[in-house]
Amino acid sequence: MKAIGLIELPNCTDAIEALDIMLKTADVRMLTWEKKLGGRLVTIIIQGEVSAVTEAVEAAKHRAVGKIVASAVIANPHEETMKLVAVSAKKYPKLQQADNIKNFE
């Protein structure tokens, strides 16, 4: 079963550090990220098996330097949820993430 994990931090530096922790902790991959309020809130979205995503998000919550504003793990997300993620990913064509989101299984 696939899942997505979301973690929101107060700035880009903390978000990159949290992403590094998540990627090193479990078999997950980054789907996209969102910057809001001029980069004062950054949301990282990852994908993987439910257990891997849960482990990665928990590791980031416990080991990240910045204060975690919010976090969530969504097991087996609805296709409408994934459409919202795809809209975000299309903002970064060099990452070519949107095609990976369509193949979400």
Side-chain angles (χ1 to χ4, degrees), residues 5-65:
L6 301 95
I7 190 162
E8 190 169 61
L9 295 107
N11 61 57
C12 287
T13 305
D14 292 345
I16 291 169
E17 196 235 351
L19 175 62
D20 185 60
I21 290 168
M22 290 189 289
L23 294 174
K24 289 177 179 175
T25 299
D27 185 21
V28 296
R29 66 187 180 93
M30 179 182 153
L31 290 180
T32 188
W33 68 319
E34 282 287 325
K35 296 187 297 182
K36 300 293 180 190
L37 302 174
R40 288 182 282 166
L41 281 180
V42 180
T43 304
I44 301 287
I45 304 174
I46 61 168
Q47 173 187 10
E49 295 296 324
V50 176
S51 59
V53 170
T54 301
E55 182 180 355
V57 169
E58 288 301 315
K61 286 168 57 176
H62 289 71
R63 295 184 8 221
V65 172

